[in-house]
Amino acid sequence: MNVTEDSTEQSGNSLTRELTQNPLKKIWVPSSTNGLPDRHISQRKVCMTNCPTLIVTVGLPARGKTYISKKLTRYLNWIDVPTKEFNVGQYRRECVKIYKSFEFFRPDNEEGLKIRKQCALAALNDVRQFLMDEGGQVAVFDATNTTRERRETILRFAEQNGFKVFFVESVCEDPDVIAENIVQVKLGSPDYTHCNTEEAVADFMKRIKCYENSYQPLDEELDGDLSFIKIIDVGRRYLVNRVQDHIQSRIVYYLMNIHITPRSIYLCRHGESDLNIKGRIGGDSGLSAKGQEFAKSLGQFIQSQNIHDLKVWTSQMKRTIQTAEAVGVPYEQWKALNEIDAGVCEELMYEEIQQRYPLEFALRDQDKYRYRYPKGESYEDLVQRLEPVIMELERQENVLVICHQAVMRCLLAYFLDKTAEELPYLKCPLHTVLKLTPVAYGCKVESVCLNVDAVNTHRDRPSVRLTDTQPLSIIITLQTLSSFFINHILGNPDVL
Amino acid sequence: MSAEQKELTQTPLLKIWVPGMGSSLGQRRGSSRPQFTNCPTMIVMVGLPARGKTYISKKLTRYLNWIGVPTQVFNLGQYRREVLQTYKNYEFFRPDNEEAMKIRRAYASNALKDIASYFTKEQGQVAVLDATNTTRERRGVIINFAKEKGYKVFFIESVCDDPEIIEANTMQVKLSSPDYENYDKEEALVDFLKRIDCYKMSYVPLDEEKDRHLSFIKIFNVGSRYLVNRVQDHIQSRIVYYLMNIHVTPRSIYLSRHGESELNLLGRIGGDTGLSSQGQKYAKALAEFIRGQSIKDLKVWTSHMKRTIQTAEALGVPYEQWKALNEIDAGVCEEMTYEEIQATHPEEFALRDQDKYRYRYPKGESYEDLVHRLEPVIMELERQENVLVICHQAVMRCLLAYFLDKSEDDLPYLKCPLHTVLKLTPLAYGCKVESFYLNIQAVNTHRDRPTNVNVARKPEEALQTVPEHL
């Protein structure tokens, strides 16, 4: 086991470096003798992988590769693994401008092959840049990659750059599934804007044919040394080979839990609560009169939607459970759906927080996603806590989730692919139900306001923040200010 | 308030909101934990002898019980030993041995009866049938049984051709089996190999095509490859995830608490203080101990609390902070002494002694919540190799209970004293534990269950087992 370079400095002291608590995330970090924080330790919840990963899709057209790529990318970004997808088809469209017909994809079309190879290489170049220079951790290389030769090229590229490779192959022979895919995403593709439906379908089928003859699926024997998952018939069966590390294990688990059966997810908050009316955050109060009215309306609304086999989930806090009770169907309580823990600020009004903890209040506006309440949680913690909920939502079909403002923002950010910056400011008003229905590569959102008055609990990002020249008020002593600057501004990699 | 909107009351132990007086328990619509499955599940092992079926069965059962899914193993070898008393030799397993076949079918059928009884009378949720089940015919019998009763079936097949692995398995667990008590090592090995041969001829592995309607996972060569077919529900999905994360590479897991903290000295629970001077001494001693162990590629994990981080700092190596490893949240009782809790919340204090596993502190957590929070930690520990986890008393109890298969009743009372490192090494079907007290004095923080747990008890009775402090 290695001892660090600092050891000579440390071995003489009774204890190693002093710990200070980073004011934003409330993480204890060692400050070395010069007072600056050290980058010695890892503060990530878990080390996902120790080198960048290249996920490579494999499969004939219309097998769901882009659907999987986008969904996987959305999931990984949500759990804080910087991921980006690189769709070779898009590179081709930028190169060739106007798509004429399937002939471009004929295996004997020399010109076509040249261009396609160039596009693949251009995409790989961008992959390299993303993973090496832009802090990316996972790149999803979305293309057919149907020949062993093409996959070899990618493997060599990855080896040269020190990336791990994980293949995701989608194999499907069900004509209904393929037809549905074509209708949902191909017909709307920029390639077919100038065609009518019949022409488009006919051309696309011929396009698939161009790949079929040279298709070499991943093979347990011949490709036994590669890391991959083969998804057969949209998840009926999976073949998983040589999972190398944590992130690949999580990816496999995720892919094995998603499905494409049509369904809707309903998100709403509990009805207005007594603490809501008083403008206080957190706590565990019951519904106000208006909140109870909302609960009844919600029950009626749900009835009217005629939802098949609806599951209802609540948190373990009184206000969501009271709301669910009015819907009148069995529900499950999830502790993981509890509202963000505001620690010492629980049940305070924003004005009181401003008064008693002005620094905290300012820090929260500085970086609302990563800011952790003292003895409480951050949005970042919430996302981690909610991951099993998302996983189960993926497994389920029709679900109504009755939760809380911060929780709903996290869930919504997952479904609508919002960044960590946007997440804490998503609008999730009381007494409004959001109906999310997966469509094509994304999610359709319908917002239904149930017309029961409620207070507004949304606090926008303030226009004036710490980075502006506005000085903090006299309440902050010099000592606090200086340690604040040292820890918050000057050296902490997590804040900058 | 209208009639439909019943008052909610919070159950005193679990702190769960339920519709209050006036509604029968049967009408309760809210289940307080997510449903893993809506009907009992039979997990059926498949594979030749020495392929790790019992290893997987026991490990999986331990995991499922720990996450709160009542599970039990039904090992046919054990049924056989009960019927036959002594094992002669491999001839019992010959496929042409009619008499033996009759006996084997009989005890297999008994096992199925016991499984049905486990589900209906003992509230079991998952039963693991640990046997070879190598023929389609036998599996057909099981499937029909399950269909009749309304149980789900999930097959786990272990396929392995690597002679080294098979030999290692045989050495580790077969030769010490009660079957071979009276054999010497060489004879036992010979007999066992002949036993495997008896099964080989009639072995029909699960087939992608022919068995495509069944739900199963095929594990090849101890996990280098998996074939997963038709996962039906949440629990099967979790089982698959678990199986895909475990490995058999030798390694050790070191569990330790942080060094003694300032609040420990004062007999106060929770909080986020730093190490006392004894605690600092422990941190240094821990560093020396770890160096002395010469561990390859050791990962070090801590919680987000100051005292574990300070302890890790002394090691001088990189460490990862996990919020999930934070100590149990004592809610309104944070930073109190037990005496203060008794004085201010005597009912809570009594409830906790009544059911320490499920008791949730007001605005805090229960051991049950802790287990749920620690599940990703356990999953990652399974993936990893050598790891040192520097955590807290309640957390360490939960982790230890997982590795040593302790029940919910035992878990909250496991002894995890300060300044002691536990080294856990997987061995055969279980875990070897070595305890290292690093000889640095520390307060005792262990509070046994007092004799009187009644809410009406006197304060002295409640405080009977409180350890000494300043």
Side-chain angles (χ1 to χ4, degrees):
Chain A
M1 196 173 72
N2 298 324
V3 187
T4 68
E5 319 84 80
D6 291 339
S7 65
T8 45
E9 192 184 289
Q10 290 165 1
S11 57
N13 310 340
S14 55
L15 184 62
T16 47
R17 308 167 285 190
E18 266 303 304
L19 293 184
T20 49
Q21 200 177 38
N22 161 288
L24 185 83
K25 295 178 75 171
K26 311 298 187 293
I27 303 262
W28 287 102
V29 291
S31 40
S32 40
T33 47
N34 55 11
L36 287 178
D38 209 318
R39 286 161 198 255
H40 199 43
I41 56 175
S42 158
Q43 285 158 14
R44 294 185 65 80
K45 42 214 167 269
V46 58
C47 183
M48 292 282 177
T49 182
N50 43 19
C51 63
T53 303
L54 179 58
I55 299 187
V56 181
T57 63
V58 179
L60 294 173
R63 262 56 176 183
K65 298 184 299 300
T66 302
Y67 176 81
I68 290 170
S69 301
K70 287 185 182 263
K71 209 169 157 72
L72 187 57
T73 301
R74 177 162 56 89
Y75 168 70
L76 291 173
N77 278 314
W78 188 74
I79 61 168
D80 213 12
V81 179
T83 306
K84 194 169 173 194
E85 23 133 14
F86 297 82
N87 177 293
V88 176
Q90 228 140 287
Y91 282 77
R92 191 250 312 150
R93 275 184 279 274
E94 262 155 58
C95 187
V96 176
K97 301 300 176 194
I98 299 176
Y99 173 75
K100 287 222 190 72
S101 77
F102 78 95
E103 307 258 352
F104 179 80
F105 291 97
R106 287 178 54 156
D108 54 0
N109 182 339
E110 289 286 343
E111 174 81 24
L113 283 171
K114 223 173 82 176
I115 296 178
R116 287 156 72 193
K117 181 128 197 226
Q118 271 170 13
C119 290
L121 291 176
L124 285 180
N125 235 348
D126 289 351
V127 162
R128 181 196 296 115
Q129 196 180 329
F130 174 66
L131 294 179
M132 311 229 55
D133 305 329
E134 292 172 19
Q137 254 195 285
V138 177
V140 184
F141 187 69
D142 176 17
T144 49
N145 299 317
T146 40
T147 61
R148 202 157 268 128
E149 183 217 339
R150 167 51 52 88
R151 298 195 289 265
E152 262 305 309
T153 310
I154 299 171
L155 284 165
R156 272 197 304 271
F157 161 82
E159 202 182 347
Q160 275 164 13
N161 290 290
F163 305 152
K164 286 185 182 170
V165 179
F166 188 73
F167 292 95
V168 177
E169 180 175 27
S170 173
V171 175
C172 180
E173 292 314 316
D174 185 336
D176 291 332
V177 173
I178 296 168
E180 181 61 29
N181 285 357
I182 296 177
V183 167
Q184 273 231 358
V185 291
K186 295 300 173 186
L187 301 187
S189 148
D191 292 344
Y192 294 114
T193 42
H194 58 283
C195 299
N196 70 33
T197 307
E198 260 132 45
E199 293 168 342
V201 173
D203 183 273
F204 195 76
M205 298 302 269
K206 292 205 191 104
R207 196 151 98 172
I208 299 180
K209 272 261 167 301
C210 293
Y211 285 92
E212 264 173 12
N213 288 337
S214 56
Y215 181 22
Q216 293 165 306
L218 287 168
D219 183 80
E220 331 188 344
E221 301 293 320
L222 299 171
D223 301 302
D225 289 328
L226 302 182
S227 297
F228 65 82
I229 179 172
K230 220 188 217 313
I231 305 172
I232 299 148
D233 288 337
V234 205
R236 186 57 47 80
R237 196 158 81 239
Y238 304 92
L239 182 69
V240 180
N241 199 62
R242 292 195 186 272
V243 171
Q244 300 172 50
D245 60 14
H246 180 97
I247 191 70
Q248 290 182 17
S249 166
R250 294 282 285 275
I251 288 166
V252 165
Y253 185 43
Y254 181 72
L255 291 176
M256 286 175 52
N257 281 316
I258 60 181
H259 67 76
I260 55 169
T261 312
R263 49 83 169 253
S264 290
I265 294 170
Y266 297 79
L267 298 182
C268 78
R269 289 167 67 186
H270 53 83
E272 185 193 71
S273 74
D274 288 325
L275 283 181
N276 283 147
I277 298 184
K278 299 195 183 118
R280 294 184 175 282
I281 66 174
D284 194 12
S285 57
L287 299 180
S288 65
K290 290 264 166 233
Q292 287 167 28
E293 227 184 283
F294 166 72
K296 272 171 64 188
S297 301
L298 180 64
Q300 283 162 6
F301 169 72
I302 292 298
Q303 287 269 19
S304 72
Q305 288 274 301
N306 269 322
I307 307 156
H308 171 72
D309 255 347
L310 179 71
K311 295 266 163 72
V312 179
W313 296 353
T314 68
S315 70
Q316 287 188 348
M317 297 182 137
K318 191 174 186 182
R319 50 202 190 275
T320 56
I321 297 166
Q322 272 181 312
T323 310
E325 279 285 319
V327 176
V329 293
Y331 56 89
E332 287 173 33
Q333 297 185 18
W334 289 69
K335 188 168 194 274
L337 284 170
N338 278 5
E339 182 57 314
I340 191 172
D341 183 357
V344 303
C345 299
E346 276 283 319
E347 303 198 38
L348 296 184
M349 294 189 282
Y350 287 122
E351 293 81 7
E352 286 168 344
I353 303 175
Q354 162 68 57
Q355 244 173 28
R356 299 189 209 179
Y357 307 96
L359 186 59
E360 295 294 329
F361 200 57
L363 282 172
R364 188 158 204 252
D365 287 338
Q366 187 64 27
D367 187 343
K368 196 173 175 187
Y369 183 74
R370 282 177 223 288
Y371 169 80
R372 189 185 276 171
Y373 280 105
K375 303 198 178 174
E377 295 176 302
S378 60
Y379 272 95
E380 190 175 23
D381 294 327
L382 250 196
V383 162
Q384 217 198 344
R385 170 155 61 88
L386 287 168
E387 203 261 350
V389 177
I390 286 294
M391 198 61 88
E392 190 55 19
L393 273 173
E394 285 294 347
R395 288 195 56 77
Q396 291 290 339
E397 292 183 19
N398 292 317
V399 187
L400 163 64
V401 184
I402 303 173
C403 54
H404 306 265
Q405 183 167 244
V407 170
M408 187 163 158
R409 284 171 170 156
C410 293
L411 298 177
L412 200 56
Y414 166 75
F415 287 109
L416 303 185
D417 203 15
K418 298 295 182 184
T419 63
E421 271 280 303
E422 299 166 297
L423 187 162
Y425 296 101
L426 292 175
K427 283 205 164 56
C428 294
L430 287 165
H431 299 188
T432 306
V433 184
L434 291 183
K435 177 178 177 180
L436 305 167
T437 313
V439 75
Y441 293 139
C443 224
K444 176 171 83 164
V445 196
E446 294 163 78
S447 173
V448 184
C449 174
L450 292 193
N451 267 319
V452 178
D453 282 336
V455 293
N456 173 23
T457 57
H458 186 90
R459 203 178 146 264
D460 268 312
R461 184 201 306 263
S463 44
V464 175
R465 294 196 288 151
L466 215 59
T467 45
D468 294 309
T469 48
Q470 176 130 338
L472 285 173
S473 76
I474 1 149
I475 302 168
I476 300 186
T477 66
L478 203 60
Q479 189 181 32
T480 322
L481 195 63
S482 63
S483 71
F484 169 75
F485 271 112
I486 286 168
N487 288 310
H488 182 62
I489 302 290
L490 286 182
N492 194 308
D494 290 284
V495 172
L496 291 180
Chain B
M1 193 169 65
S2 70
E4 309 109 71
Q5 286 171 336
K6 311 177 188 87
E7 262 305 311
L8 293 185
T9 50
Q10 198 177 43
T11 62
L13 187 85
L14 299 179
K15 310 293 188 297
I16 301 273
W17 289 103
V18 294
M21 325 297 139
S23 83
S24 70
L25 224 50
Q27 277 185 320
R28 240 189 77 187
R29 283 187 287 265
S31 87
S32 62
R33 66 199 72 175
Q35 308 290 63
F36 285 114
T37 182
N38 44 18
C39 66
T41 303
M42 278 183 65
I43 300 200
V44 181
M45 303 302 301
V46 180
L48 294 172
R51 263 58 175 182
K53 297 185 301 299
T54 302
Y55 176 81
I56 291 171
S57 302
K58 286 180 182 256
K59 208 170 157 75
L60 185 58
T61 300
R62 178 162 56 89
Y63 169 70
L64 290 173
N65 278 314
W66 187 75
I67 61 170
V69 181
T71 306
Q72 199 178 303
V73 180
F74 295 81
N75 175 293
L76 279 200
Q78 229 140 284
Y79 278 79
R80 169 183 48 83
R81 279 184 278 272
E82 260 157 62
V83 168
L84 285 193
Q85 301 301 326
T86 39
Y87 172 74
K88 280 225 197 71
N89 60 32
Y90 78 96
E91 306 250 346
F92 181 81
F93 294 99
R94 287 179 54 155
D96 54 359
N97 187 338
E98 285 288 341
E99 168 139 359
M101 273 299 178
K102 247 171 66 182
I103 299 177
R104 287 162 77 187
R105 269 194 281 269
Y107 63 66
S109 162
N110 284 339
L112 289 182
K113 285 205 196 87
D114 287 349
I115 287 176
S117 170
Y118 175 64
F119 287 147
T120 46
K121 304 205 185 104
E122 294 175 53
Q123 273 85 46
Q125 259 193 279
V126 176
V128 183
L129 181 59
D130 177 16
T132 50
N133 297 317
T134 40
T135 61
R136 193 160 275 126
E137 182 225 337
R138 167 113 295 259
R139 297 195 290 266
V141 168
I142 299 170
I143 293 169
N144 287 335
F145 166 80
K147 204 170 181 179
E148 218 183 296
K149 303 274 189 182
Y151 307 152
K152 287 187 181 167
V153 179
F154 187 73
F155 292 93
I156 299 178
E157 180 172 26
S158 173
V159 176
C160 181
D161 297 315
D162 186 334
E164 272 178 41
I165 298 179
I166 296 166
E167 191 180 316
N169 286 359
T170 308
M171 302 302 282
Q172 267 226 359
V173 291
K174 293 301 173 187
L175 303 188
S176 51
S177 147
D179 290 346
Y180 292 115
E181 256 171 359
N182 302 316
Y183 278 69
D184 79 31
K185 276 234 172 89
E186 255 120 53
E187 291 173 344
L189 190 55
V190 168
D191 184 271
F192 190 71
L193 291 176
K194 290 212 186 95
R195 199 151 94 172
I196 299 182
D197 283 335
C198 293
Y199 285 95
K200 266 195 181 154
M201 295 205 296
S202 55
Y203 180 22
V204 180
L206 288 168
D207 183 78
E208 294 187 30
E209 268 310 304
K210 302 211 185 86
D211 297 307
R212 65 182 177 281
H213 296 297
L214 303 180
S215 296
F216 64 83
I217 178 171
K218 245 167 130 63
I219 306 173
F220 294 90
N221 289 328
V222 206
S224 75
R225 193 162 82 245
Y226 305 91
L227 180 68
V228 181
N229 198 65
R230 284 191 189 267
V231 170
Q232 297 171 49
D233 59 14
H234 178 98
I235 192 68
Q236 291 180 16
S237 165
R238 292 283 285 274
I239 289 168
V240 165
Y241 185 43
Y242 181 71
L243 293 175
M244 287 176 49
N245 281 316
I246 59 181
H247 66 78
V248 293
T249 313
R251 50 84 169 252
S252 289
I253 293 171
Y254 296 79
L255 297 182
S256 159
R257 288 169 67 187
H258 52 82
E260 185 193 72
S261 74
E262 310 276 1
L263 284 184
N264 284 146
L265 276 179
L266 300 172
R268 294 184 175 281
I269 65 173
D272 193 13
T273 47
L275 299 179
S276 65
S277 59
Q278 288 298 104
Q280 288 171 28
K281 285 198 190 125
Y282 173 70
K284 276 173 64 187
L286 181 63
E288 259 177 63
F289 170 74
I290 291 295
R291 269 195 291 271
Q293 289 274 305
S294 290
I295 308 156
K296 175 169 107 86
D297 266 340
L298 179 72
K299 295 265 163 74
V300 179
W301 296 354
T302 68
S303 69
H304 275 193
M305 297 180 139
K306 190 175 187 183
R307 50 201 188 279
T308 56
I309 298 166
Q310 273 181 316
T311 311
E313 276 287 313
L315 300 174
V317 293
Y319 54 89
E320 286 174 37
Q321 297 186 17
W322 290 67
K323 188 169 193 276
L325 285 171
N326 278 5
E327 181 57 314
I328 190 171
D329 183 356
V332 303
C333 299
E334 276 283 318
E335 304 200 35
M336 289 192 185
T337 60
Y338 288 122
E339 291 86 346
E340 284 166 359
I341 301 176
Q342 166 60 35
T344 53
H345 302 84
E347 275 161 29
E348 294 291 329
F349 203 45
L351 279 174
R352 186 158 206 252
D353 287 333
Q354 285 173 22
D355 189 344
K356 197 174 175 188
Y357 183 75
R358 277 175 229 290
Y359 170 81
R360 189 184 276 172
Y361 280 105
K363 302 197 179 176
E365 295 176 300
S366 61
Y367 271 94
E368 191 174 21
D369 293 327
L370 250 196
V371 161
H372 188 76
R373 169 157 59 90
L374 286 168
E375 202 263 347
V377 177
I378 286 294
M379 197 62 90
E380 189 56 19
L381 274 173
E382 285 294 347
R383 290 196 54 79
Q384 290 292 339
E385 293 183 17
N386 293 317
V387 187
L388 163 64
V389 184
I390 304 173
C391 54
H392 306 265
Q393 184 167 246
V395 170
M396 187 162 159
R397 284 171 172 156
C398 292
L399 298 178
L400 200 57
Y402 166 74
F403 287 109
L404 303 186
D405 203 15
K406 297 294 181 184
S407 67
E408 292 171 356
D409 290 325
D410 291 338
L411 187 162
Y413 296 101
L414 292 176
K415 284 209 162 58
C416 294
L418 286 166
H419 299 187
T420 307
V421 185
L422 291 184
K423 176 178 178 180
L424 306 166
T425 314
L427 187 65
Y429 293 140
C431 223
K432 176 173 84 166
V433 195
E434 294 165 80
S435 173
F436 298 93
Y437 172 59
L438 296 193
N439 256 318
I440 311 275
Q441 275 275 62
V443 292
N444 173 25
T445 57
H446 186 93
R447 187 177 159 267
D448 271 311
R449 189 173 196 262
T451 351
N452 189 345
V453 298
N454 198 295
V455 170
R457 66 191 174 175
K458 300 199 217 64
E460 312 86 75
E461 293 175 298
L463 299 172
Q464 181 195 16
T465 54
V466 173
E468 282 185 22
H469 56 88
L470 294 174

